[in-house]
Amino acid sequence: MATRTIARGSTVVYEEPLILVKQGGDAEVRRQYEALTNEHKQHYDSLSPEITSKRGRVEKIFWQNCVEVEGEGMRGIFRRY
């Protein structure tokens, strides 16, 4: 049951994010990535196979695939979204 009105066309996700950060948090993106399980890292890395450069790859994948989540300035990346 929703605790507030949800606008038509809204995306509703009930899943723990792989990574959840405030906007502009590249160091935090990297820290959380390093804490992922190997399985979650493999999934994460598969989200943007066109990014081949190792430098900044983790951060680029995050910002290319993240979505806004509830909370001011919060962005998350999910396995199934």
Side-chain angles (χ1 to χ4, degrees):
M1 173 177 235
T3 59
R4 62 183 172 85
T5 303
I6 300 171
R8 183 175 290 197
S10 296
T11 301
V12 178
V13 177
Y14 184 77
E15 176 183 343
E16 290 292 321
L18 291 171
I19 297 175
L20 179 67
V21 299
K22 285 192 177 247
Q23 289 185 340
D26 283 349
E28 183 62 12
V29 169
R30 171 63 66 173
R31 187 191 71 71
Q32 290 186 36
Y33 173 83
E34 294 300 334
L36 294 175
T37 65
N38 286 336
E39 178 188 354
H40 286 164
K41 283 181 182 177
Q42 286 177 341
H43 176 76
Y44 184 97
D45 292 342
S46 74
L47 294 174
S48 294
E50 72 279 0
I51 300 174
T52 57
S53 170
K54 296 236 185 236
R55 184 179 175 145
R57 184 171 195 279
V58 168
E59 296 81 359
K60 288 175 186 173
I61 290 172
F62 181 82
W63 295 113
Q64 189 175 68
N65 294 282
C66 68
V67 294
E68 185 176 348
V69 295
E70 190 171 344
E72 189 171 316
M74 298 301 288
R75 296 286 214 188
I77 193 166
F78 298 85
R79 283 189 64 147
R80 291 179 273 212
Y81 183 71

